[in-house]
Coordinates of all heavy atoms in Angstrom, one line a residue:
M1 N -1.6 -28.6 10.1 CA -0.7 -27.7 9.4 C -1.4 -26.2 9.5 O -2.6 -26.0 9.3 CB -0.6 -28.0 7.9 CG 0.3 -27.1 7.2 SD 1.2 -27.7 5.8 CE 0.1 -28.1 4.6
A2 N -0.5 -25.2 9.7 CA -0.9 -23.8 9.8 C -1.3 -23.3 8.4 O -0.7 -23.6 7.4 CB 0.2 -23.1 10.5
D3 N -2.3 -22.5 8.4 CA -2.7 -21.7 7.2 C -1.7 -20.6 7.0 O -1.5 -20.2 5.8 CB -4.1 -21.2 7.3 CG -5.1 -22.4 7.3 OD1 -5.2 -23.2 6.4 OD2 -5.8 -22.6 8.4
I4 N -1.3 -20.0 8.1 CA -0.3 -18.9 8.0 C 0.8 -19.3 8.8 O 0.7 -19.6 10.0 CB -1.0 -17.5 8.5 CG1 -2.1 -17.2 7.6 CG2 0.1 -16.4 8.5 CD1 -3.0 -16.0 8.1
D5 N 2.1 -19.2 8.3 CA 3.3 -19.7 9.0 C 4.3 -18.6 8.6 O 4.9 -18.6 7.5 CB 3.6 -21.0 8.5 CG 4.7 -21.6 9.5 OD1 5.4 -20.9 10.1 OD2 4.9 -22.9 9.3
L6 N 4.7 -17.6 9.6 CA 5.7 -16.5 9.2 C 6.7 -16.6 10.2 O 6.5 -16.6 11.5 CB 4.9 -15.3 9.2 CG 3.7 -15.1 8.3 CD1 3.0 -13.8 8.6 CD2 4.2 -15.0 6.8
K7 N 7.9 -16.4 9.8 CA 9.1 -16.3 10.6 C 9.9 -15.0 10.3 O 10.0 -14.7 9.1 CB 10.1 -17.4 10.4 CG 9.6 -18.8 11.1 CD 10.7 -19.8 10.8 CE 10.2 -21.2 11.5 NZ 11.2 -22.2 11.3
R8 N 10.2 -14.2 11.2 CA 11.0 -13.0 11.0 C 12.1 -13.0 12.1 O 11.9 -13.3 13.3 CB 10.1 -11.8 11.2 CG 9.0 -11.7 10.2 CD 9.5 -11.3 8.8 NE 8.4 -11.0 7.9 CZ 8.0 -11.9 7.0 NH1 8.3 -13.2 7.2 NH2 7.1 -11.6 6.2
S9 N 13.3 -12.6 11.6 CA 14.4 -12.4 12.4 C 14.3 -11.0 13.0 O 13.7 -10.1 12.4 CB 15.7 -12.7 11.8 OG 15.9 -11.8 10.6
H10 N 14.9 -10.8 14.1 CA 15.1 -9.4 14.7 C 16.3 -9.3 15.6 O 17.0 -10.3 15.8 CB 13.7 -9.2 15.6 CG 13.6 -10.2 16.8 ND1 14.2 -10.0 17.9 CD2 12.8 -11.3 16.9 CE1 14.0 -10.9 18.8 NE2 13.0 -11.7 18.2
D11 N 16.6 -8.1 15.8 CA 17.8 -7.8 16.8 C 17.3 -7.2 18.1 O 18.0 -6.4 18.8 CB 18.6 -6.7 16.1 CG 19.4 -7.2 14.9 OD1 19.4 -8.5 14.8 OD2 19.7 -6.4 14.0
L12 N 16.0 -7.5 18.5 CA 15.5 -6.8 19.6 C 15.9 -7.5 21.0 O 15.9 -6.8 22.0 CB 13.9 -7.0 19.6 CG 13.2 -6.4 18.4 CD1 11.7 -6.6 18.5 CD2 13.6 -4.9 18.4
G13 N 16.2 -8.8 21.0 CA 16.5 -9.4 22.2 C 15.1 -9.9 22.7 O 14.0 -9.4 22.2
L14 N 15.1 -10.8 23.7 CA 13.8 -11.4 24.1 C 12.9 -10.4 24.8 O 11.6 -10.4 24.5 CB 14.1 -12.6 25.0 CG 12.9 -13.5 25.3 CD1 12.2 -13.9 24.1 CD2 13.4 -14.7 26.1
K15 N 13.4 -9.6 25.7 CA 12.6 -8.6 26.5 C 11.9 -7.7 25.6 O 10.7 -7.4 25.7 CB 13.5 -8.0 27.5 CG 12.7 -7.1 28.5 CD 13.6 -6.5 29.6 CE 12.8 -5.6 30.4 NZ 13.6 -5.1 31.5
A16 N 12.6 -7.0 24.7 CA 12.1 -5.9 23.7 C 11.1 -6.6 22.8 O 10.0 -6.1 22.4 CB 13.2 -5.2 23.1
A17 N 11.4 -7.8 22.4 CA 10.5 -8.5 21.4 C 9.1 -8.8 22.1 O 8.2 -8.7 21.5 CB 11.2 -9.9 21.0
R18 N 9.2 -9.1 23.4 CA 8.1 -9.5 24.1 C 7.2 -8.2 24.3 O 6.0 -8.1 24.0 CB 8.3 -10.1 25.4 CG 7.1 -10.5 26.1 CD 7.2 -11.7 27.0 NE 6.0 -12.0 27.8 CZ 5.9 -13.1 28.4 NH1 6.8 -13.8 28.5 NH2 4.8 -13.2 29.1
V19 N 7.9 -7.0 24.5 CA 7.1 -5.8 24.6 C 6.4 -5.4 23.2 O 5.3 -5.1 23.2 CB 8.1 -4.7 25.0 CG1 7.5 -3.3 24.9 CG2 8.5 -4.8 26.4
A20 N 7.2 -5.6 22.2 CA 6.6 -5.4 20.8 C 5.5 -6.4 20.6 O 4.5 -6.0 20.0 CB 7.7 -5.5 19.8
A21 N 5.6 -7.7 21.0 CA 4.6 -8.7 20.7 C 3.3 -8.3 21.5 O 2.2 -8.5 21.1 CB 5.1 -10.1 21.1
D22 N 3.5 -7.8 22.8 CA 2.3 -7.4 23.5 C 1.6 -6.2 22.9 O 0.3 -6.2 22.9 CB 2.8 -7.0 24.9 CG 3.1 -8.0 25.9 OD1 2.5 -9.1 25.7 OD2 3.8 -7.9 26.9
K23 N 2.2 -5.3 22.2 CA 1.7 -4.2 21.5 C 0.8 -4.8 20.3 O -0.2 -4.4 20.1 CB 2.7 -3.2 21.1 CG 2.3 -2.2 20.2 CD 1.3 -1.1 21.0 CE 1.1 0.0 20.1 NZ -0.4 0.4 20.2
M24 N 1.6 -5.8 19.6 CA 0.9 -6.3 18.4 C -0.4 -7.1 18.8 O -1.4 -7.0 18.3 CB 1.9 -7.2 17.8 CG 1.4 -7.8 16.5 SD 2.6 -8.9 15.6 CE 2.3 -10.4 16.4
A25 N -0.3 -7.9 20.0 CA -1.4 -8.7 20.4 C -2.6 -7.7 20.8 O -3.7 -8.0 20.5 CB -0.9 -9.5 21.6
E26 N -2.2 -6.6 21.4 CA -3.2 -5.6 21.8 C -4.0 -5.1 20.6 O -5.2 -5.0 20.5 CB -2.6 -4.5 22.6 CG -3.6 -3.5 23.1 CD -3.0 -2.3 23.9 OE1 -1.9 -2.5 24.4 OE2 -3.5 -1.2 23.8
D27 N -3.2 -4.7 19.5 CA -3.7 -4.1 18.4 C -4.6 -5.1 17.5 O -5.7 -4.8 17.3 CB -2.6 -3.6 17.4 CG -1.9 -2.4 17.9 OD1 -2.4 -1.7 18.9 OD2 -0.9 -2.0 17.5
L28 N -4.0 -6.3 17.4 CA -4.8 -7.3 16.7 C -6.0 -7.7 17.4 O -7.0 -8.2 16.9 CB -3.9 -8.5 16.3 CG -2.8 -8.3 15.3 CD1 -1.9 -9.5 15.1 CD2 -3.5 -7.9 13.9
G29 N -5.9 -7.8 18.8 CA -7.0 -8.2 19.6 C -8.3 -7.2 19.3 O -9.3 -7.7 19.3
K30 N -7.9 -6.0 19.3 CA -8.9 -4.9 19.0 C -9.5 -5.1 17.7 O -10.7 -4.9 17.4 CB -8.4 -3.5 19.3 CG -8.1 -3.2 20.7 CD -7.5 -1.9 20.8 CE -7.1 -1.5 22.2 NZ -6.4 -0.3 22.4
K31 N -8.7 -5.3 16.6 CA -9.1 -5.3 15.2 C -9.9 -6.7 14.9 O -10.9 -6.5 14.2 CB -8.0 -5.3 14.4 CG -7.1 -4.1 14.3 CD -6.0 -4.0 13.2 CE -5.2 -2.8 13.3 NZ -4.0 -2.9 12.4
F32 N -9.5 -7.7 15.5 CA -10.1 -9.0 15.1 C -10.8 -9.7 16.3 O -11.2 -10.9 16.1 CB -9.0 -9.9 14.4 CG -8.4 -9.3 13.2 CD1 -7.1 -8.9 13.2 CD2 -9.1 -9.2 12.1 CE1 -6.5 -8.3 12.1 CE2 -8.6 -8.6 11.0 CZ -7.2 -8.2 11.0
G33 N -10.8 -9.2 17.4 CA -11.5 -9.9 18.5 C -10.7 -11.1 19.0 O -11.4 -12.0 19.6
L34 N -9.4 -11.0 19.0 CA -8.6 -12.1 19.5 C -8.3 -12.0 21.0 O -8.2 -10.9 21.5 CB -7.2 -12.1 18.7 CG -7.3 -12.4 17.3 CD1 -5.9 -12.1 16.6 CD2 -7.7 -13.7 16.9
S35 N -8.3 -13.1 21.7 CA -7.9 -13.1 23.1 C -6.9 -14.1 23.3 O -6.8 -15.1 22.6 CB -9.2 -13.2 24.0 OG -9.8 -14.5 23.7
G36 N -6.1 -14.0 24.3 CA -5.0 -15.0 24.6 C -4.2 -14.6 25.8 O -4.4 -13.6 26.5
G37 N -3.2 -15.4 25.8 CA -2.1 -15.0 26.9 C -0.9 -15.8 26.6 O -0.7 -16.6 25.8
W38 N 0.1 -15.5 27.5 CA 1.4 -16.0 27.3 C 1.7 -17.3 28.2 O 1.2 -17.5 29.2 CB 2.6 -15.1 28.0 CG 2.7 -13.8 27.1 CD1 2.1 -12.7 27.1 CD2 3.5 -13.8 25.9 NE1 2.5 -11.8 26.2 CE2 3.4 -12.5 25.4 CE3 4.5 -14.7 25.3 CZ2 4.1 -12.0 24.3 CZ3 5.1 -14.2 24.2 CH2 4.9 -12.9 23.6
T39 N 2.3 -18.3 27.6 CA 2.9 -19.5 28.2 C 4.4 -19.5 27.9 O 4.7 -19.8 26.7 CB 2.2 -20.8 27.7 OG1 0.8 -20.6 27.9 CG2 2.7 -22.0 28.5
G40 N 5.2 -19.2 28.9 CA 6.6 -19.0 28.6 C 6.9 -18.0 27.5 O 6.4 -16.8 27.8
N41 N 7.5 -18.3 26.5 CA 7.8 -17.3 25.4 C 6.8 -17.3 24.2 O 7.2 -17.0 23.1 CB 9.3 -17.4 24.9 CG 10.2 -17.0 26.1 OD1 9.9 -16.1 26.8 ND2 11.4 -17.7 26.1
T42 N 5.7 -18.0 24.4 CA 4.7 -18.2 23.4 C 3.5 -17.6 23.8 O 2.8 -17.9 24.8 CB 4.4 -19.7 23.1 OG1 5.8 -20.3 22.7 CG2 3.5 -20.0 21.9
H43 N 3.0 -16.6 22.9 CA 1.7 -16.1 23.1 C 0.6 -16.9 22.3 O 0.7 -16.9 21.0 CB 1.7 -14.7 22.6 CG 0.3 -13.9 23.0 ND1 -0.7 -13.8 22.2 CD2 0.0 -13.1 24.1 CE1 -1.7 -13.1 22.7 NE2 -1.3 -12.7 23.8
H44 N -0.4 -17.4 22.9 CA -1.4 -18.2 22.2 C -2.7 -17.4 22.1 O -3.0 -16.5 23.1 CB -1.7 -19.5 23.0 CG -0.7 -20.4 23.2 ND1 -0.4 -21.4 22.2 CD2 0.3 -20.5 24.2 CE1 0.8 -22.0 22.7 NE2 1.2 -21.6 23.8
F45 N -3.4 -17.4 21.1 CA -4.6 -16.5 20.8 C -5.7 -17.3 20.0 O -5.3 -18.3 19.4 CB -4.2 -15.3 20.1 CG -3.5 -15.5 18.8 CD1 -4.2 -15.6 17.7 CD2 -2.1 -15.5 18.7 CE1 -3.6 -15.8 16.5 CE2 -1.5 -15.7 17.6 CZ -2.3 -15.9 16.3
D46 N -6.9 -16.9 20.2 CA -7.9 -17.5 19.6 C -9.3 -16.7 19.6 O -9.3 -15.6 20.2 CB -8.3 -18.9 20.1 CG -8.8 -18.8 21.5 OD1 -8.9 -17.7 22.1 OD2 -9.1 -19.9 22.1
R47 N -10.1 -17.1 18.7 CA -11.4 -16.6 18.6 C -12.2 -17.6 17.8 O -11.5 -18.5 17.1 CB -11.5 -15.1 18.0 CG -11.0 -15.1 16.6 CD -11.4 -14.0 15.8 NE -12.7 -14.3 15.1 CZ -13.5 -13.5 14.4 NH1 -13.1 -12.4 14.2 NH2 -14.5 -14.1 13.9
P48 N -13.5 -17.5 17.6 CA -14.2 -18.5 16.8 C -13.5 -18.5 15.4 O -13.5 -17.4 14.8 CB -15.6 -18.0 16.9 CG -15.7 -17.4 18.2 CD -14.5 -16.6 18.4
G49 N -13.0 -19.6 14.8 CA -12.6 -19.6 13.5 C -11.1 -19.4 13.4 O -10.6 -19.5 12.2
V50 N -10.4 -19.0 14.5 CA -9.0 -18.7 14.4 C -8.3 -19.2 15.6 O -8.7 -18.9 16.8 CB -8.7 -17.2 14.3 CG1 -7.3 -16.9 14.3 CG2 -9.4 -16.5 13.0
T51 N -7.2 -19.9 15.5 CA -6.3 -20.2 16.6 C -4.9 -20.0 16.2 O -4.5 -20.3 15.0 CB -6.5 -21.7 17.1 OG1 -6.2 -22.6 16.0 CG2 -7.8 -22.0 17.7
G52 N -4.0 -19.7 17.0 CA -2.6 -19.5 16.6 C -1.7 -19.1 17.8 O -2.2 -19.1 19.0
S53 N -0.5 -19.0 17.4 CA 0.5 -18.7 18.4 C 1.7 -17.8 17.9 O 1.9 -17.9 16.7 CB 1.1 -19.9 19.1 OG 1.8 -20.7 18.1
L54 N 2.3 -17.1 18.7 CA 3.4 -16.3 18.2 C 4.6 -16.7 19.3 O 4.4 -16.4 20.5 CB 3.2 -14.8 18.5 CG 4.5 -13.9 18.3 CD1 4.9 -14.0 16.8 CD2 4.1 -12.4 18.4
H55 N 5.6 -17.3 18.8 CA 6.6 -17.9 19.6 C 7.8 -17.0 19.4 O 8.3 -16.6 18.2 CB 7.1 -19.3 19.2 CG 8.2 -19.8 20.2 ND1 8.0 -20.1 21.5 CD2 9.5 -20.0 19.8 CE1 9.1 -20.5 21.9 NE2 10.1 -20.4 21.0
L56 N 8.4 -16.5 20.5 CA 9.6 -15.5 20.4 C 10.9 -16.2 20.9 O 10.9 -17.0 21.9 CB 9.3 -14.4 21.3 CG 8.1 -13.6 20.9 CD1 7.9 -12.4 22.0 CD2 8.3 -13.0 19.6
T57 N 12.0 -15.8 20.3 CA 13.3 -16.1 20.8 C 14.0 -14.8 20.9 O 13.4 -13.8 20.4 CB 14.1 -17.1 20.0 OG1 14.4 -16.6 18.8 CG2 13.3 -18.5 19.8
D58 N 15.2 -14.8 21.3 CA 15.9 -13.5 21.3 C 16.4 -13.0 19.9 O 16.7 -11.9 19.7 CB 17.3 -13.6 22.2 CG 18.2 -14.7 21.7 OD1 17.8 -15.6 20.9 OD2 19.3 -14.6 22.1
K59 N 16.2 -13.9 18.9 CA 16.5 -13.5 17.5 C 15.4 -13.7 16.5 O 15.6 -13.2 15.3 CB 17.8 -14.4 17.1 CG 19.0 -14.2 17.8 CD 19.7 -13.0 17.4 CE 21.0 -12.8 18.2 NZ 21.6 -11.5 18.1
E60 N 14.4 -14.3 16.9 CA 13.3 -14.7 15.8 C 11.9 -14.7 16.4 O 11.6 -14.9 17.6 CB 13.6 -16.0 15.3 CG 12.7 -16.5 14.2 CD 13.0 -17.8 13.6 OE1 12.7 -18.8 14.2 OE2 13.6 -17.8 12.4
S61 N 10.9 -14.3 15.6 CA 9.5 -14.5 15.9 C 8.9 -15.4 14.9 O 9.3 -15.4 13.7 CB 8.8 -13.1 15.9 OG 8.8 -12.5 14.7
H62 N 8.0 -16.3 15.5 CA 7.4 -17.3 14.6 C 5.9 -17.3 14.9 O 5.4 -17.7 15.9 CB 8.0 -18.7 14.9 CG 7.5 -19.8 13.9 ND1 7.7 -21.1 14.1 CD2 6.8 -19.7 12.7 CE1 7.2 -21.8 13.2 NE2 6.5 -21.0 12.4
L63 N 5.1 -16.9 13.8 CA 3.7 -16.8 13.9 C 3.0 -17.9 13.2 O 3.3 -18.2 12.0 CB 3.2 -15.5 13.3 CG 1.7 -15.2 13.3 CD1 1.1 -15.1 14.7 CD2 1.4 -14.0 12.4
T64 N 2.2 -18.7 13.9 CA 1.3 -19.6 13.2 C -0.1 -19.4 13.3 O -0.4 -19.1 14.5 CB 1.8 -21.1 13.6 OG1 1.6 -21.1 15.0 CG2 3.2 -21.5 13.2
V65 N -0.9 -19.6 12.3 CA -2.4 -19.3 12.5 C -3.1 -20.4 11.7 O -2.8 -20.7 10.6 CB -2.7 -17.9 12.0 CG1 -4.2 -17.7 12.1 CG2 -1.9 -16.8 12.6
K66 N -4.0 -20.9 12.4 CA -4.9 -22.0 11.8 C -6.3 -21.3 11.6 O -6.9 -20.8 12.6 CB -5.0 -23.2 12.6 CG -6.0 -24.3 12.1 CD -5.3 -25.0 11.0 CE -6.1 -26.2 10.5 NZ -5.9 -26.6 9.2
L67 N -6.8 -21.3 10.4 CA -8.2 -20.7 10.1 C -9.2 -21.7 10.0 O -8.9 -22.8 9.4 CB -8.0 -19.9 8.8 CG -6.9 -18.8 8.7 CD1 -6.8 -18.2 7.3 CD2 -7.2 -17.7 9.7
G68 N -10.3 -21.4 10.4 CA -11.5 -22.3 10.3 C -12.0 -22.2 8.9 O -11.6 -21.3 8.0
F69 N -12.8 -23.2 8.5 CA -13.4 -23.3 7.1 C -13.8 -22.0 6.5 O -13.5 -21.5 5.5 CB -14.5 -24.3 7.0 CG -15.1 -24.4 5.7 CD1 -14.4 -25.2 4.7 CD2 -16.3 -23.9 5.4 CE1 -15.0 -25.3 3.5 CE2 -16.9 -24.1 4.1 CZ -16.1 -24.8 3.1
L70 N -14.6 -21.2 7.2 CA -15.1 -20.0 6.7 C -14.1 -18.8 6.5 O -14.4 -17.9 5.8 CB -16.3 -19.4 7.7 CG -17.5 -20.4 7.8 CD1 -18.6 -20.0 8.9 CD2 -18.2 -20.6 6.5
L71 N -13.1 -18.9 7.2 CA -12.0 -17.9 7.1 C -10.9 -18.2 6.1 O -10.1 -17.5 5.8 CB -11.5 -17.5 8.5 CG -12.5 -16.8 9.3 CD1 -11.8 -16.6 10.7 CD2 -12.9 -15.5 8.8
K72 N -10.9 -19.4 5.7 CA -9.8 -19.8 4.8 C -9.8 -19.0 3.5 O -8.8 -18.7 2.9 CB -10.0 -21.3 4.3 CG -9.6 -22.2 5.5 CD -9.3 -23.7 5.1 CE -9.1 -24.6 6.3 NZ -7.7 -24.5 6.8
G73 N -10.9 -18.5 3.0 CA -11.0 -17.7 1.8 C -10.4 -16.3 2.1 O -10.0 -15.6 1.2
M74 N -10.2 -15.8 3.4 CA -9.6 -14.7 3.7 C -8.1 -14.8 4.0 O -7.6 -13.8 4.6 CB -10.4 -14.1 4.9 CG -11.7 -13.7 4.7 SD -12.0 -12.3 3.7 CE -11.2 -11.0 4.8
R75 N -7.5 -15.9 3.7 CA -6.1 -16.2 4.1 C -5.2 -15.1 3.6 O -4.3 -14.6 4.3 CB -5.7 -17.5 3.5 CG -4.3 -17.9 3.9 CD -3.9 -19.1 3.3 NE -2.3 -19.2 3.5 CZ -1.5 -19.0 2.6 NH1 -1.8 -18.4 1.5 NH2 -0.2 -19.2 2.8
G76 N -5.4 -14.7 2.3 CA -4.4 -13.6 1.7 C -4.5 -12.3 2.5 O -3.4 -11.9 3.0
P77 N -5.7 -11.8 2.6 CA -5.7 -10.5 3.5 C -5.2 -10.6 4.9 O -4.5 -9.8 5.4 CB -7.1 -10.1 3.3 CG -7.6 -10.8 2.1 CD -6.9 -12.1 2.0
L78 N -5.6 -11.7 5.5 CA -5.2 -11.9 6.8 C -3.7 -12.2 6.9 O -3.1 -11.7 7.9 CB -5.9 -13.2 7.5 CG -7.4 -13.0 7.7 CD1 -8.1 -14.3 8.0 CD2 -7.6 -11.9 8.8
E79 N -3.1 -12.8 6.0 CA -1.6 -13.0 6.1 C -0.9 -11.7 5.8 O 0.1 -11.4 6.5 CB -1.2 -14.1 5.0 CG 0.3 -14.4 5.1 CD 0.7 -15.6 4.2 OE1 -0.1 -16.1 3.3 OE2 1.9 -16.1 4.4
A80 N -1.4 -10.9 4.8 CA -0.9 -9.5 4.6 C -1.0 -8.7 5.9 O 0.1 -8.0 6.2 CB -1.5 -8.9 3.5
A81 N -2.0 -8.8 6.6 CA -2.2 -8.0 7.8 C -1.1 -8.4 8.9 O -0.6 -7.7 9.5 CB -3.6 -8.1 8.3
S82 N -1.0 -9.8 8.9 CA 0.0 -10.3 9.8 C 1.4 -9.9 9.6 O 2.1 -9.6 10.5 CB -0.1 -11.9 9.8 OG -1.4 -12.3 10.3
V83 N 1.7 -9.9 8.3 CA 3.1 -9.4 7.9 C 3.3 -8.0 8.4 O 4.2 -7.6 8.9 CB 3.4 -9.6 6.4 CG1 4.5 -8.9 6.0 CG2 3.5 -11.1 6.0
R84 N 2.3 -7.1 8.1 CA 2.4 -5.7 8.4 C 2.5 -5.5 9.9 O 3.3 -4.8 10.4 CB 1.2 -4.9 7.9 CG 1.1 -4.5 6.6 CD 0.0 -3.6 6.2 NE -1.3 -4.1 6.5 CZ -2.1 -4.8 5.8 NH1 -1.7 -5.3 4.6 NH2 -3.3 -5.1 6.3
E85 N 1.8 -6.4 10.7 CA 1.9 -6.3 12.1 C 3.2 -6.7 12.7 O 3.8 -6.1 13.6 CB 0.7 -7.0 12.8 CG -0.6 -6.3 12.7 CD -0.7 -5.0 13.4 OE1 -0.1 -4.8 14.5 OE2 -1.4 -4.2 12.9
L86 N 3.8 -7.8 12.1 CA 5.1 -8.2 12.5 C 6.2 -7.2 12.2 O 7.1 -6.9 12.9 CB 5.5 -9.5 11.8 CG 4.8 -10.8 12.3 CD1 5.0 -12.0 11.5 CD2 5.2 -11.0 13.8
E87 N 6.1 -6.5 11.1 CA 7.0 -5.5 10.7 C 6.9 -4.3 11.6 O 7.9 -3.7 12.0 CB 6.9 -5.1 9.2 CG 7.3 -6.2 8.3 CD 8.6 -6.7 8.4 OE1 9.6 -5.9 8.6 OE2 8.8 -7.9 8.4
R88 N 5.6 -3.9 11.9 CA 5.4 -2.8 12.8 C 6.0 -3.1 14.2 O 6.5 -2.3 14.9 CB 3.9 -2.5 12.9 CG 3.6 -1.2 13.6 CD 2.1 -0.9 13.7 NE 1.5 -1.0 12.3 CZ 0.4 -1.0 12.0 NH1 -0.6 -1.0 13.0 NH2 -0.1 -1.0 10.7
A89 N 5.8 -4.3 14.6 CA 6.3 -4.7 15.9 C 7.7 -4.6 16.0 O 8.4 -4.2 17.0 CB 5.8 -6.2 16.3
R90 N 8.5 -5.0 14.9 CA 9.9 -4.9 14.9 C 10.3 -3.4 15.0 O 11.3 -3.0 15.7 CB 10.6 -5.5 13.6 CG 10.6 -6.9 13.6 CD 11.4 -7.5 12.6 NE 11.6 -6.7 11.3 CZ 12.3 -7.2 10.3 NH1 12.7 -8.5 10.3 NH2 12.5 -6.6 9.1
E91 N 9.6 -2.5 14.4 CA 9.9 -1.1 14.4 C 9.6 -0.5 15.7 O 10.4 0.3 16.2 CB 9.1 -0.4 13.3 CG 9.5 -0.8 11.9 CD 8.5 -0.1 10.9 OE1 7.6 0.6 11.3 OE2 8.7 -0.5 9.6
F92 N 8.6 -1.0 16.3 CA 8.1 -0.5 17.7 C 9.1 -0.9 18.7 O 9.5 -0.1 19.6 CB 6.7 -1.2 18.0 CG 6.4 -0.9 19.5 CD1 5.8 0.4 19.8 CD2 6.5 -1.8 20.5 CE1 5.5 0.6 21.3 CE2 6.2 -1.6 21.7 CZ 5.6 -0.3 22.2
G93 N 9.7 -2.1 18.4 CA 10.8 -2.6 19.5 C 12.1 -2.1 19.2 O 13.0 -2.3 19.9
G94 N 12.3 -1.2 18.2 CA 13.6 -0.7 18.0 C 14.2 -0.9 16.6 O 15.3 -0.5 16.3
G95 N 13.6 -1.7 15.8 CA 14.0 -2.1 14.5 C 15.1 -3.1 14.4 O 15.5 -3.7 15.5
C96 N 15.4 -3.5 13.2 CA 16.4 -4.5 13.0 C 17.5 -3.9 12.3 O 17.5 -3.1 11.4 CB 15.9 -5.7 12.3 SG 14.9 -6.9 13.3

């Protein structure tokens, strides 16, 4: 079961959502040392203590993150940062 499980609707379409997700992945990669890549419409990412994915459709984004034992105590701040990044990605992509 994911420690963070966020769904957000959007009006971006798949292509613009992917552009926005790439920007989000770049920003979070720099901030948290995440690395990963795309398989179809799902961006998988990881680093020690964190694994997750961002799945896109033309109308929705779905972020799931599994935290290792040492990071479970940081769930609240990490989830808040994830929400901010998802909202910023929607704005970057043209808004909803």
